[in-house]
Amino acid sequence: LGRQLTLIEPPMTKGIRFLILDCPTDSTLPFYLAELKRNNVTDVVRCCEPTYRAETLQNEGITVHDWPFRDGAVPPVNIIKNWLLLVDTRIVRRSSSPSASEEEEEVAPPTIAVHCVAGLGRAPILVAIAMIELGMANLDTVEFIRRRRRGCFNSNQIQYID
């Protein structure tokens, strides 16, 4: 494992992106921090126990949310509610009027990074839940994410999504 990042750009909106990663450590955090900045990450959601100091990211203006849940499981209701609230507060809803400036179009949308240990179960399931809430069909979401991050989701998680 190490340094595996997958940018997910939901096709139904240009207002938010997700970055699924494996688990940074204090020693690998400089690499991840550079990628987080490059991808306009505003928040990092940790779905596992902490393996690095959150202050390092917070000092760079990135909010860290600790929402751990069991490996291979689906997230509990309170984490789903917190997650969807975070997505809703970060998404940029652009006006469809023709007066929107070109400059606005060039600004990268906010990105929420999500990680667990390997980035194959807990992190992708949260991204899938958000994309379904944004309007993508359930199993289309699984296929969309799997095309970009091979091996993600277990049968329990797919059954939950379906």
Side-chain angles (χ1 to χ4, degrees):
L1 294 181
R3 301 182 183 190
Q4 297 188 14
L5 299 94
T6 306
L7 185 65
I8 304 291
E9 299 181 271
M12 72 292 289
T13 178
K14 300 278 186 234
I16 195 157
R17 301 180 308 178
F18 303 100
L19 188 64
I20 300 172
L21 17 141
D22 57 351
C23 195
T25 62
D26 281 323
S27 64
T28 61
L29 201 53
F31 164 80
Y32 286 96
L33 183 56
E35 290 298 310
L36 297 177
K37 286 178 166 184
R38 191 173 68 77
N39 284 290
N40 197 31
V41 169
T42 57
D43 299 81
V44 171
V45 174
R46 295 196 280 203
C47 301
C48 57
E49 295 305 315
T51 55
Y52 58 89
R53 294 178 50 246
E55 296 79 24
T56 304
L57 298 181
Q58 292 164 342
N59 291 340
E60 298 291 332
I62 298 171
T63 304
V64 177
H65 306 270
D66 284 309
W67 298 335
F69 58 98
R70 193 172 49 80
D71 188 22
V74 296
V77 173
N78 66 314
I79 289 177
I80 293 173
K81 285 181 181 177
N82 289 337
W83 168 247
L84 292 176
L85 181 61
L86 174 63
V87 171
D88 190 57
T89 59
R90 294 299 181 258
I91 194 167
V92 174
R93 289 174 170 71
R94 292 194 166 98
S95 99
S96 57
S97 70
S99 63
S101 71
E102 286 181 32
E103 211 173 281
E104 181 183 56
E105 293 301 315
E106 292 177 19
V107 175
T111 304
I112 301 173
V114 191
H115 75 81
C116 44
V117 175
L120 296 175
R122 291 171 279 188
I125 191 78
L126 284 178
V127 172
I129 289 168
M131 290 177 64
I132 291 165
E133 285 295 312
L134 289 169
M136 187 174 248
N138 298 20
L139 293 180
D140 290 347
T141 301
V142 171
E143 182 184 341
F144 185 87
I145 295 171
R146 273 189 165 170
R147 266 190 267 130
R148 288 150 183 82
R149 192 154 183 103
R150 289 192 189 284
C152 65
F153 304 115
N154 63 31
S155 59
N156 181 43
Q157 291 165 331
I158 291 173
Q159 187 174 19
Y160 172 79
I161 290 171
D162 192 25

